[in-house]
Amino acid sequence: MENKYPDLKTRIQSTFIDGILMIVLMFAAAWVFDKVSNSENEDGWVRAVVFIGIWVIYEPLLMTLGGTLGNYMMGIRVRKENDTTKKINLLQAFLRFVVKFFLGWISFLTIHTNVERRALHDFAGGSVVIEK
């Protein structure tokens, strides 16, 4: 079976959905902190760890399951470059996330330069995005 590779629009829509979800999760976490915190014993570092954790854990963890919620909603999956029947591992997912985080939208510039439409973060993580 021949793989189909999503276009830039689909990948950006997926990323946008994930961004909205991250914002919702952060507001939910803030609401929980406001409800359970005691202002006299407030530790700001706990909030910081939770908020950073939401961003750092969400994408790499879900990538090991095949994709984020945005990926699933857009009908795309992240797989190993050399075997698209296999999901990427946590190390690949984290490396992919770090490159995507630091390069941002710039990472998507290479999508139109290769047949598999791989972004820079896909090259870094040894992954490819396919349509399901």
Side-chain angles (χ1 to χ4, degrees):
M1 182 175 124
E2 187 72 24
N3 287 320
K4 289 184 67 183
Y5 305 102
D7 60 9
L8 181 60
K9 182 180 111 180
T10 302
R11 292 190 62 176
I12 288 175
Q13 287 171 335
S14 170
T15 302
F16 183 75
I17 291 169
D18 289 328
I20 296 293
L21 180 61
M22 293 292 92
I23 292 169
V24 168
L25 287 173
M26 291 181 74
F27 274 110
W31 180 81
V32 168
F33 276 121
D34 288 343
K35 293 296 178 191
V36 299
S37 72
N38 181 350
S39 60
E40 295 174 8
N41 297 328
E42 176 79 25
D43 283 330
W45 70 270
V46 174
R47 283 182 186 237
V49 167
V50 168
F51 290 133
I52 291 169
I54 287 172
W55 286 96
V56 173
I57 293 171
Y58 171 80
E59 184 168 330
L61 181 63
L62 290 181
M63 285 300 168
T64 64
L65 301 174
T68 62
L69 294 176
N71 293 152
Y72 275 86
M73 290 176 72
M74 295 307 299
I76 59 178
R77 304 294 182 271
V78 176
R79 296 291 189 253
K80 289 189 175 195
E81 166 199 12
N82 54 2
D83 185 355
T84 58
T85 63
K86 295 184 178 178
K87 299 172 185 170
I88 62 175
N89 62 43
L90 190 57
L91 180 61
Q92 287 176 293
F94 190 72
L95 182 58
R96 186 179 187 277
F97 167 75
V98 168
V99 171
K100 186 177 178 181
F101 178 81
F102 283 110
L103 293 180
W105 297 105
I106 293 171
S107 184
F108 287 106
L109 292 177
T110 59
I111 283 181
H112 297 293
T113 65
N114 60 85
V115 176
E116 295 173 326
R117 297 184 180 163
R118 294 174 69 200
L120 289 174
H121 54 271
D122 294 318
F123 285 107
S127 64
V128 65
V129 179
I130 60 172
E131 291 182 358
K132 183 74 176 144

